[in-house]
Amino acid sequence: RADQGAIRVTCDAGRNLVRFDGLQPNAWTFTALTVERQYPNYRSLLPKESSTRIEIDRAAFLGAAQALAEFVKDGSNVLKLEADLEAGTIHLTAQNDDGAASDTIPALIEGEPTFIAFHARFTVEALQSFDGERLSLWLNGPTSPSAWGDPGAPNYVHVLMPMHTVR
């Protein structure tokens, strides 16, 4: 940014380096090493189909997840989600050594009722990565990866792996 001074970017392909130099008002240097590797096919983690699709208000889900994540941060960090088709809600629960806490949020649910558990902090981070008002979740039971996306931004999908737990 112009108000923070000039920056010089230098690429050294022979050594796989990118260097950033802050010139004014304070001199600084940041060097990054580029890595050429064969990365796994991330698309193989994305569910091709889902047995349950949930659409929910992202802010309501985020608020509930943040409160429950705080409740379990010094313990198991498990956040359980149960989709209730008949009630049209998701029920979130968390437990620590002192007891349990829960919240219920209205949702549009298609498919099968389901139960899945996630790491509470990763759930909050995933929810914070979206900007839209609504969020879609595609689930395939308690042991399969879930895909989360903003209906208004179809090119961004967040994959969240489940935690194995008992109901």
Side-chain angles (χ1 to χ4, degrees):
R1 293 179 26 184
D3 63 328
Q4 295 177 345
I7 297 174
R8 178 177 51 222
V9 179
T10 310
C11 297
D12 184 343
R15 296 189 321 176
N16 290 335
L17 293 175
V18 178
R19 181 177 167 156
F20 304 87
D21 293 295
L23 304 175
Q24 302 266 331
N26 298 317
W28 54 269
T29 299
F30 174 77
T31 304
L33 177 65
T34 60
V35 179
E36 290 188 34
R37 295 237 165 93
Q38 181 69 28
Y39 292 98
N41 179 7
Y42 71 90
R43 292 187 193 278
S44 67
L45 292 175
L46 298 175
K48 305 284 185 271
E49 298 178 356
S50 65
S51 59
T52 307
R53 182 183 169 277
I54 299 170
E55 188 170 317
I56 191 163
D57 180 272
R58 187 185 66 85
F61 191 3
L62 176 59
Q66 285 174 318
L68 294 171
E70 186 66 26
F71 185 72
V72 294
K73 74 178 183 183
D74 295 325
S76 67
N77 277 305
V78 175
L79 178 63
K80 298 177 183 179
L81 181 153
E82 188 163 3
D84 185 338
L85 275 151
E86 288 184 28
T89 60
I90 64 165
H91 188 70
L92 301 171
T93 58
Q95 285 186 284
N96 68 19
D97 292 338
D98 297 323
S102 65
D103 202 347
T104 301
I105 305 164
L108 300 172
I109 304 168
E110 299 172 355
E112 302 173 15
T114 194
F115 167 85
I116 192 166
F118 298 109
H119 190 285
R121 189 184 83 220
F122 298 159
T123 301
V124 170
E125 289 173 359
L127 289 164
Q128 290 173 331
S129 74
F130 294 98
D131 293 324
E133 293 180 13
R134 304 292 295 168
L135 184 70
S136 293
L137 285 68
W138 296 274
L139 308 171
N140 282 307
T143 60
S144 296
S146 64
W148 297 24
D150 178 342
N155 292 329
Y156 178 74
V157 176
H158 194 106
V159 175
L160 200 59
M161 301 301 287
M163 292 182 73
H164 296 282
T165 185
V166 294
R167 271 188 141 157

